[in-house]
Amino acid sequence: EVQLVESGGGLVQPGRSLKLSCAASGFTFSNYYMAWVRQAPKKGLEWVATISTSGSRTYYPDSVKGRFTISRDNAKSSLYLQMNSLKSEDTATYYCARLWERFDYWGQGVMVTVSS
Amino acid sequence: EIVLTQSPTTMTASPGEKVTITCRASSSVSYMHWYQQKPGASPKPWIYETSKLASGVPDRFSGSGSGTSYSLTINNMEAEDAATYYCQQWNYPSIFTFGSGTKLEIK
């Protein structure tokens, strides 16, 4: 059974940093692109980052480019999202998702609140 | 960047009613994916590559479309279908866009 379990969320002050983790199991992690998708409270879904199977290629929307970094450790079947210079508009539930032409599996999500 | 516009934003349907949700792309796209999300839960893949049902999706659901116009249809609305539905598109090399969502409620 495919499982994606996020961790690392919490309350953080504006301008500070936070690192999210996603532990994957039930599939060969190194064979799949992975991504982070977020959802602000009562809002829609927003793609945040994608990483290739080896980690050599990463992609971001303009809203987080230069502030967020996606990475992976295939030996640990783990995905990460380093978030720097956090803003109030980054407040959201962050989902880890597996990519196979679409987001075919999602984690349960982890809440990040950016507030002073 | 391709923008996806969903309509309606919210709608209410009676049990047994036929429901159609539309997703329009700002430029022609090859296919559309759809997700279902219920309150407090993660999104679920629902329809992929425009018309293929994800595992476990009832066959009262269908998807269609081409070019800039795509739709998700429910024949015989049921209470369990009440949810928010999102369309999603992929752009080369690895850029993803979601529609703003359609909240479907049961009467």
Side-chain angles (χ1 to χ4, degrees):
Chain A
E1 178 192 5
V2 172
Q3 283 198 313
L4 299 169
V5 180
E6 302 94 337
S7 60
L11 174 63
V12 61
Q13 294 178 328
R16 303 297 291 265
S17 299
L18 198 64
K19 187 173 185 177
L20 305 182
S21 299
C22 171
S25 60
F27 65 102
T28 304
F29 182 72
S30 58
N31 286 353
Y32 291 84
Y33 275 51
M34 298 293 295
W36 289 95
V37 177
R38 70 183 179 184
Q39 185 171 37
K42 306 294 186 184
K43 299 294 184 181
L45 301 170
E46 180 188 17
W47 164 70
V48 170
T50 304
I51 189 166
S52 63
T53 52
S54 66
S56 61
R57 293 184 297 275
T58 57
Y59 307 91
Y60 309 91
D62 289 343
S63 58
V64 307
K65 194 175 295 182
R67 299 189 299 122
F68 288 14
T69 302
I70 187 172
S71 61
R72 65 191 296 161
D73 184 335
N74 286 340
K76 294 183 177 180
S77 295
S78 293
L79 180 72
Y80 306 101
L81 185 68
Q82 177 68 46
M83 303 184 292
N84 298 332
S85 304
L86 282 161
K87 306 175 183 180
S88 58
E89 51 263 43
D90 296 318
T91 293
T93 296
Y94 285 74
Y95 296 100
C96 164
R98 191 180 83 167
L99 266 172
W100 186 251
E101 299 187 346
R102 62 196 182 279
F103 303 105
D104 66 345
Y105 284 93
W106 298 63
Q108 85 287 353
V110 62
M111 184 68 199
V112 173
T113 302
V114 183
S115 174
S116 54
Chain B
E1 177 188 342
I2 292 179
V3 176
L4 301 179
T5 302
Q6 285 186 238
S7 61
T9 302
T10 61
M11 67 179 301
T12 304
S14 300
E17 189 175 341
K18 182 177 181 179
V19 171
T20 299
I21 297 169
T22 299
C23 179
R24 298 194 187 278
S26 56
S27 300
S28 181
V29 296
S30 299
Y31 54 77
M32 195 66 67
H33 304 309
W34 295 87
Y35 301 85
Q36 181 198 68
Q37 187 180 33
K38 294 190 175 182
S42 306
K44 292 182 178 180
W46 210 245
I47 296 174
Y48 64 100
E49 295 175 12
T50 302
S51 60
K52 299 175 183 177
L53 301 186
S55 177
V57 174
D59 61 8
R60 61 181 177 274
F61 284 85
S62 63
S64 63
S66 64
T68 60
S69 184
Y70 292 82
S71 62
L72 178 156
T73 299
I74 308 171
N75 283 302
N76 301 316
M77 170 81 182
E78 294 193 11
E80 67 176 16
D81 302 334
T84 300
Y85 294 87
Y86 295 92
C87 57
Q88 177 253 310
Q89 173 55 217
W90 168 85
N91 300 100
Y92 182 86
S94 191
I95 310 298
F96 300 89
T97 306
F98 289 94
S100 54
T102 294
K103 185 176 183 179
L104 173 60
E105 299 175 318
I106 188 83
K107 279 185 187 172

